[in-house]
Amino acid sequence: MTVILETDRLILRNWRDEDRDLFREINRDPKVMEFFAWRRTYEEADAMLERVRAMIDATGLGFYAIEEKESGDPVGFCGLGPAMVTPVMPEETIEIGWRLATRYWGKGYATEAATAALRYGFIDRGIDAILSFAVAGNTRSTSVMKRIGLRRLESLDFDHPRVPDTHPHLKRHVVHGITAGAWREAQANA
């Protein structure tokens, strides 16, 4: 098991075959996927898992499996990767994102994992800026963004190009972000 990051309660690592059921679950759960236009079939989730695993192996970036230290169980994912919303954002834009199985909501895991991922991105990887975006009404995600120190960047809000016109309420995305310099300043003042 390749550990990418470790916190007091969590391990962020690459995915293993035995994580497949959890990955399938979070990509089909209506509550987890409330702000997405689609749910992934098992086959689609498996293919996505393989792409994520390969990206982490190749680059060290990606949406890492979050493992609860106490139980050893996977609980969701968090990590850094290319935003992949060209032409809305430049190709080199790095985003931070997370998704947890609902039974692990409310424990602070997303905030804990994302805080560690930001540190990794700025300190270990030398990333200049990190963004996060979500559907405008997704207060669960935007609350995590605020808790980890990201600031609202209204001028970057956009209509997601991959959200179909059949789901207009999911098109508008709000953007939060932070530069390496602002993150370092916040750490120094904490």
Side-chain angles (χ1 to χ4, degrees), residues 88-110:
V88 175
M89 294 179 184
E91 195 172 305
E92 65 274 9
T93 302
I94 299 295
E95 74 164 307
I96 185 169
W98 47 83
R99 201 173 299 161
L100 301 178
T102 56
R103 63 188 170 280
Y104 298 105
W105 288 6
K107 297 179 181 221
Y109 287 169

Side-chain angles (χ1 to χ4, degrees), residues 31-147:
K31 287 180 81 173
V32 175
M33 301 298 286
E34 176 182 0
F35 295 99
F36 292 83
W38 58 88
R39 312 293 176 264
R40 288 185 174 85
T41 65
Y42 282 177
E43 294 78 16
E44 292 166 337
D46 287 351
M48 182 181 178
L49 178 68
E50 293 308 320
R51 286 191 304 274
V52 171
R53 188 172 9 194
M55 180 192 299
I56 294 168
D57 280 342
T59 69
L61 294 178
F63 294 114
Y64 317 117
I66 303 172
E67 179 181 307
E68 189 179 50
K69 277 185 182 178
E70 186 176 316
S71 68
D73 293 335
V75 302
F77 66 73
C78 179
L80 305 165
M84 296 191 288
V85 286
T86 54
V88 175
M89 294 179 184
E91 195 172 305
E92 65 274 9
T93 302
I94 299 295
E95 74 164 307
I96 185 169
W98 47 83
R99 201 173 299 161
L100 301 178
T102 56
R103 63 188 170 280
Y104 298 105
W105 288 6
K107 297 179 181 221
Y109 287 169
T111 300
E112 186 173 329
T115 298
L118 277 180
R119 175 177 295 281
Y120 175 70
F122 291 133
I123 300 295
D124 298 322
R125 298 303 302 252
I127 297 170
D128 293 328
I130 296 173
L131 299 179
S132 190
F133 48 89
V135 170
N138 186 348
T139 56
R140 288 188 302 266
S141 282
T142 56
S143 293
V144 173
M145 294 174 197
K146 292 172 188 171
R147 282 195 298 273

Side-chain angles (χ1 to χ4, degrees), residues 163-177:
V163 173
D165 291 338
T166 55
H167 293 74
H169 62 292
L170 300 177
K171 276 195 167 289
R172 194 68 180 163
H173 279 59
V174 295
V175 179
H176 289 69

